[in-house]
Amino acid sequence: MTALAGFTADTLWAVSLRRWNAVCWLLFALMAVGLVAMNRPGGSKCLALVLLGGVVLCYGVLDRFPANPVVRPHGYLSVLVVALGGLAYLRGNYAALFMVTLPHYWMFGRTPKASMVFLGLAAAATLAGSVLRDDGWTVEFFTETLVSTLLVVAVGALIGRWAHSVVAQSAERARLITELEQAQAELTEAHQRQGAADERERMARDIHDTLAQGFASIIVLAEAARTGLDTDPARSGRQLRSIESTARENLAEARELVGSARHSDRTAAGSVAETLRRTLDRFAEDTGLTVDAELEDLECDQQTRIALLRCTQESLANIRKHARASTVGVVLARQPYGVELEITDDGAGFSVEESSGFGLDGMRKRLAELGGRLTVTSSVGDGTRVLALIPPGATA
């Protein structure tokens, strides 16, 4: 961050310097013409031109070759200080040079402290040259030279301080913008990771609620059909047909999952009551359990219908695998507070606090996505009651 801020400040100074170059070269040329036109003895004129030439040469080298090892920024400012003192002593229009090069103290000083030091040295050199030129402290020196020099220094200091403040603010803004862009990139990456994790969880839940349950049903039916081939061929035939039907449904589910088609036409066909009744009829046929169903004919949106179907499938799968029940009750009704699905059995029951299965957790998360909730009531030997509630805002 610090490197970036320094780069921004250097870039701003470089742009400012390039814009001032054209003006500087023009003013240097005018000063040279003015020195040549001075009505002074040849020696002082030549010396003044030498001093100005030294400043111009150093400035040109530094401007054209900023990374050169000979003329460095502080070296140029030192030459400038000496030239100003010499021109002040020679009456060589030092004030014009002071004004022309005033921005250079801040461009090449690099820091406010160094800029102020060189600006102070330049002022001291001009004042010293003027004192030596006039052989002492004259009235003219105090009324003209001293006042004008201090005024120029004060203006230069104010302008330089303001310029450094602008650069510092620009560097700070650049740092904040960089940090903001980095934070946005990290946030985008986190959202992408979270989205991928959510999608994996959704796929795992859908596979568990569809393919895994279907395969479990196929295994149970296949075992039952194998044991009854000799004793009850007719029942085994029905079970084989159920295996075929379940396998076809699983194949359709697999294709839907691969194609990311969460809303299948088969699930969407008819009302939610018809969908659940087909599921319950298949369950009763496969298990031989008594299923008492009271299903109100409700119209729900697709997400609610899928959630109710998956909760029913998961509950029936748990009853098939664990409950050892003889009767299952299913009630679907619309209440003032939402759609309510209740599934009960008279099986062995279980301790809800000790349950850590993926199925119940998946049902809770699926209902929570719709603003609903799942309540499971059970105890060992007393059966199980599963109550799914979806609020009105999630239903059509």
Side-chain angles (χ1 to χ4, degrees):
M1 295 300 177
T2 304
L4 177 62
F7 173 78
T8 304
D10 290 344
T11 302
L12 183 59
W13 281 127
V15 172
S16 301
L17 185 57
R18 283 196 300 270
R19 291 174 178 176
W20 187 248
N21 273 344
V23 178
C24 276
W25 290 117
L26 177 61
L27 294 177
F28 282 151
L30 293 176
M31 288 179 59
V33 172
L35 288 174
V36 171
M38 282 193 317
N39 293 321
R40 296 287 180 184
S44 61
K45 180 188 300 185
C46 292
L47 185 56
L49 286 173
V50 169
L51 291 174
L52 178 62
V55 171
V56 172
L57 177 63
C58 291
Y59 178 69
V61 172
L62 188 60
D63 175 56
R64 185 65 180 85
F65 307 101
N68 77 89
V70 179
V71 181
R72 303 306 302 151
H74 286 182
Y76 163 70
L77 293 179
S78 299
V79 171
L80 183 58
V81 168
V82 173
L84 284 171
L87 289 174
Y89 178 76
L90 298 173
R91 299 183 180 271
N93 201 11
Y94 71 93
L97 181 62
F98 207 163
M99 294 295 294
V100 169
T101 58
L102 193 59
H104 292 182
Y105 298 98
W106 303 97
M107 291 179 180
F108 297 115
R110 315 303 291 172
T111 65
K113 182 178 180 180
S115 300
M116 288 299 299
V117 168
F118 279 105
L119 185 59
L121 290 176
T126 57
L127 293 176
S130 298
V131 170
L132 293 176
R133 178 195 65 201
D134 296 330
D135 296 326
W137 305 89
T138 65
V139 175
E140 181 183 357
F141 169 79
F142 283 104
T143 58
E144 296 181 7
T145 305
L146 180 61
V147 172
S148 60
T149 301
L150 293 179
L151 183 61
V152 170
V153 171
V155 172
L158 291 176
I159 294 176
R161 287 288 185 180
W162 172 80
H164 268 280
S165 176
V166 171
V167 171
Q169 291 176 5
S170 299
E172 180 66 15
R173 281 195 297 269
R175 184 185 66 81
L176 293 176
I177 290 173
T178 302
E179 289 182 354
L180 179 60
E181 291 175 348
Q182 182 178 356
Q184 289 176 336
E186 292 175 353
L187 183 61
T188 300
E189 184 180 354
H191 284 168
Q192 291 175 345
R193 290 197 301 267
Q194 184 61 42
D198 292 342
E199 182 63 16
R200 286 195 297 269
E201 183 179 351
R202 182 191 69 79
M203 290 292 294
R205 191 169 60 220
D206 285 345
I207 291 173
H208 177 273
D209 292 347
T210 56
L211 301 182
Q213 302 296 356
F215 289 138
S217 177
I218 289 173
I219 291 173
V220 173
L221 291 171
E223 291 175 347
R226 185 178 66 249
T227 57
L229 282 175
D230 297 329
T231 59
D232 193 351
R235 179 178 176 83
S236 295
R238 291 194 300 272
Q239 291 169 335
L240 289 174
R241 286 193 295 274
S242 295
I243 290 175
E244 180 183 0
S245 177
T246 302
R248 291 183 184 277
E249 292 177 357
N250 264 23
L251 179 60
E253 293 281 3
R255 287 171 175 168
E256 291 164 7
L257 291 174
V258 170
S260 299
R262 298 181 64 182
H263 304 161
S264 66
D265 294 338
R266 176 180 54 79
T267 302
S271 67
V272 65
E274 294 174 355
T275 303
L276 295 184
R277 193 173 299 280
R278 288 196 298 268
T279 302
L280 295 174
D281 290 343
R282 173 65 58 79
F283 175 78
E285 180 182 353
D286 292 344
T287 62
L289 300 181
T290 300
V291 178
D292 297 327
E294 297 180 13
L295 306 176
E296 185 178 338
D297 191 13
L298 303 176
E299 290 297 329
C300 303
D301 62 31
Q302 190 65 11
Q303 290 295 327
T304 300
R305 182 178 298 155
I306 292 175
L308 294 173
L309 174 61
R310 298 303 185 226
C311 288
T312 302
Q313 291 172 329
E314 176 63 26
S315 298
L316 295 179
N318 289 336
I319 292 172
R320 184 202 298 265
K321 290 186 291 186
H322 308 298
R324 301 191 300 276
S326 59
T327 302
V328 177
V330 180
V331 178
L332 174 68
R334 185 184 297 276
Q335 304 293 347
Y337 44 82
V339 173
E340 195 174 73
L341 174 66
E342 182 184 49
I343 303 174
T344 58
D345 69 75
D346 60 355
F350 66 99
S351 175
V352 178
E353 292 76 11
E354 299 177 0
S355 175
S356 59
F358 182 84
L360 291 178
D361 185 59
M363 284 194 287
R364 288 190 177 95
K365 290 182 178 180
R366 188 183 293 276
L367 293 173
E369 291 175 357
L370 299 176
R373 66 177 184 272
L374 181 75
T375 303
V376 180
T377 305
S378 182
S379 60
V380 178
D382 291 334
T384 301
R385 174 177 178 263
V386 176
L387 181 64
L389 173 64
I390 300 177
T395 61

